[in-house]
Amino acid sequence: MNFIDTATIYVKAGDGGAGHISFRREKYVPKGGPDGGNGGSGGSVVIEADQHLVTLLDFTYKRKYTAKDGDRGGKSNCTGKSGDDVVIRVPVGTVVRARESSEVLADMTVHGQRAIVARGGMGGRGNSEFVTSVNQAPRQADPGIPGEECYLEFELKLLADVGLVGFPNAGKSTLISRISAAKPKIADYPFTTLVPNLGVVRAGEGRSFTVADIPGLIEGAHLGKGLGIQFLRHIERTAVLLFLVDVQSADPEADLKVLRTELGSYSPQLLDKPWLVCLSKADVLTPEELAYVKKSPFTTSNKARIISAVAGTGLPELIEVLWEYVRSHRQSEIRGETGTGLDW
Ligand SMILES: Nc1nc2c(ncn2[C@@H]2O[C@H](COP(=O)(O)OP(=O)(O)OP(=O)(O)O)[C@@H](O)[C@H]2O)c(=O)[nH]1
Ligand SMILES: [Mg+2]
C-alpha cells in the first residue's frame, strides 16, 4: 500500500433551503393566512478521526466533498428537510488546516473525535414568519444561507511515543518486529523501509506505548539524499527518540552526529527531545569485542545501550527505559509541562 501523508481537498457544506411563500387555501377558509414554511438547513462537513486508517491515500482519489443542501420550505408551514452531513474519516494524527490561512482547524488525536470544518447554511424563513400586526399577508421569504466552503490541507503526523532513528540497515525494523507485533519488511540492503511502521509495545499490564520505525536517514538527507527527511514529521510528536547505530560502525560518534544534524535541519525542536542511543547487532561481536565496546568512550559517554534484536539481548531493559520516558512524558503532558526531567 502506498503511504500518503499529505492531501488537499475541497469541502462545501450544503446551502440552506429557501423559505416558502404560500397562503392557506381551504374550502371553508376563504382567506387563510400565510403558511409558507422555513427552508431546511444545509448539511455540514465533518471530519472524524478513525484509528483503523493509517494513510491519507483515499484523498488522492476523491478530493471534493459536498454535503446536501436543505430542501425548500413547503406549504402548510412545512419546514424543508435538512441536508445530511458528510463525514470524512481521517487517520488519528491528522492535522487539518485551512489552505488559505494555514490556520489549524483541528488536530485529530483521539479515535472518534469530530470537528465541523464547513457549516451548513441556515434555511430561510417562510412567509408565515413575517406576519406582523400591520402585515397579515406578507409576500416575503428569506433565501437560504449558502453553506461554507473551503480548501483543506491534511497532514498526517503519526502519534507514536517512541521514534526510531538510524542509518539504513541499522536494524530499526528488526527491533520493532521484536518488541511489538509489527511485521515490517526486513532485508540486508539499505532503504528497505519506505514508509513508517507503527508498533505497539506492551511493557506490562496497562503499560503500552507505540514505536514508529521510519525510513533510514543518511548524510545529506535534508538536501534530498536517500529518502529525504519529510517523514521526520512522524517523530515530531514522540516522547523520546531512540537512535540506533550499528555496533560494527567504524565511528559511532560520527554516525550519531550525522543523524542529529539531519534531525536539526528538519526541525531544531527535534534536538530538544529526550533521546537515547543503542548499539545494535551485538550478537555479531565476540565476547572480547563486546567487552571492548562496553568500555569504549562512545558507550560510556552516551550511556549507550548494547542490544541485539536478533538474539533478544538488552530488549527487556530497553523496553523498561523507553516506558519510563513515555510515562514521564505523559505525566508532564497532563501537568501541561514540556520535557521529561529524566536524565539517562
Ligand atoms: N546479526 C544481526 N543482524 C541484524 C540485527 N538486527 C538487524 N539485523 C540485520 O540487518 C539488516 C537490516 O535490518 P533492518 O531491520 O531491515 O534495518 P533497517 O534499519 O530497518 O533498515 P532500512 O529500513 O533500510 O532503513 C537485515 O539483514 C537484518 O537481518 C541484529 O540484532 N543482529
Ligand atoms: Mg527498515
Side-chain angles (χ1 to χ4, degrees):
M1 181 179 36
N2 280 334
F3 185 81
I4 301 285
D5 50 15
T6 58
T8 302
I9 63 165
Y10 166 81
V11 294
K12 163 86 176 67
D15 298 340
H20 189 67
I21 300 176
S22 59
F23 297 90
R24 272 172 78 191
R25 292 279 178 269
E26 287 171 37
K27 214 165 179 182
Y28 304 106
V29 193
K31 273 201 161 176
D35 71 348
N38 300 337
S41 42
S44 296
V45 181
V46 179
I47 308 279
E48 183 177 307
D50 186 335
Q51 67 191 11
H52 306 295
L53 301 174
V54 290
T55 155
L56 298 172
L57 181 68
D58 287 353
F59 303 105
T60 58
Y61 301 122
K62 183 165 160 55
R63 296 165 190 262
K64 191 177 166 189
Y65 294 81
T66 318
K68 283 258 180 340
D69 294 339
D71 284 347
R72 305 176 68 88
K75 272 191 68 62
S76 312
N77 285 318
C78 268
T79 302
K81 191 172 165 297
S82 295
D84 290 336
D85 291 345
V86 162
V87 179
I88 304 175
R89 294 195 167 71
V90 298
V92 171
T94 303
V95 181
V96 183
R97 285 194 186 80
R99 188 176 73 173
E100 202 145 305
S101 60
S102 291
E103 182 199 348
V104 174
L105 302 180
D107 190 357
M108 311 302 289
T109 55
V110 185
H111 176 69
Q113 183 186 342
R114 283 183 158 219
I116 297 179
V117 285
R119 256 172 223 289
M122 271 205 348
R125 289 172 300 169
N127 70 332
S128 60
E129 299 249 344
F130 287 85
V131 175
T132 61
S133 53
V134 293
N135 186 357
Q136 297 289 322
R139 300 196 150 271
Q140 186 185 356
D142 281 339
I145 296 184
E148 294 174 345
E149 59 186 307
C150 65
Y151 283 90
L152 297 178
E153 279 176 350
F154 291 157
E155 185 181 18
L156 176 56
K157 300 183 182 207
L158 292 178
L159 290 177
D161 296 305
V162 178
L164 283 183
V165 181
F167 284 156
N169 260 338
K172 302 177 292 302
S173 300
T174 308
L175 177 60
I176 200 175
S177 76
R178 285 301 304 261
I179 62 178
S180 78
K183 304 229 171 329
K185 189 170 165 191
I186 292 166
D188 60 355
Y189 55 82
F191 302 121
T192 308
T193 301
L194 298 174
V195 302
N197 300 297
L198 262 192
V200 180
V201 178
R202 303 204 186 283
E205 187 65 31
R207 310 192 309 160
S208 57
F209 59 91
T210 50
V211 179
D213 162 32
I214 59 170
L217 275 179
I218 56 172
E219 185 161 21
H222 69 284
L223 303 171
K225 294 224 173 110
L227 295 173
I229 52 171
Q230 328 79 296
F231 51 79
L232 291 180
R233 67 164 60 95
H234 299 297
I235 57 167
E236 268 181 75
R237 313 208 229 190
T238 60
V240 55
L241 299 177
L242 173 56
F243 291 100
L244 219 53
V245 176
D246 195 319
V247 77
Q248 302 161 98
S249 161
D251 191 347
E253 192 73 60
D255 289 359
L256 184 61
K257 195 156 169 248
V258 168
L259 293 170
R260 290 185 59 78
T261 305
E262 294 300 330
L263 256 50
S265 309
Y266 175 79
S267 159
Q269 276 89 19
L270 283 181
L271 298 179
D272 296 336
K273 280 191 188 293
W275 58 275
L276 63 160
V277 58
C278 279
L279 289 164
S280 62
K281 311 188 186 180
D283 57 287
V284 301
L285 301 182
T286 63
E288 295 74 43
E289 287 168 332
L290 188 60
Y292 179 79
V293 170
K294 273 187 182 157
K295 287 200 208 102
S296 74
F298 176 81
T299 306
T300 51
S301 64
N302 292 298
K303 297 184 180 137
R305 282 152 200 280
I306 304 174
I307 61 162
S308 163
V310 164
T313 41
L315 300 190
E317 297 82 0
L318 178 61
I319 290 173
E320 238 0 84
V321 179
L322 292 175
W323 167 252
E324 279 308 313
Y325 275 104
V326 171
R327 190 181 55 82
S328 150
H329 180 79
R330 285 181 189 166
Q331 280 172 349
S332 61
E333 287 225 311
I334 292 168
R335 292 196 301 265
E337 299 164 5
T338 51
T340 65
L342 285 179
D343 176 29
W344 291 92

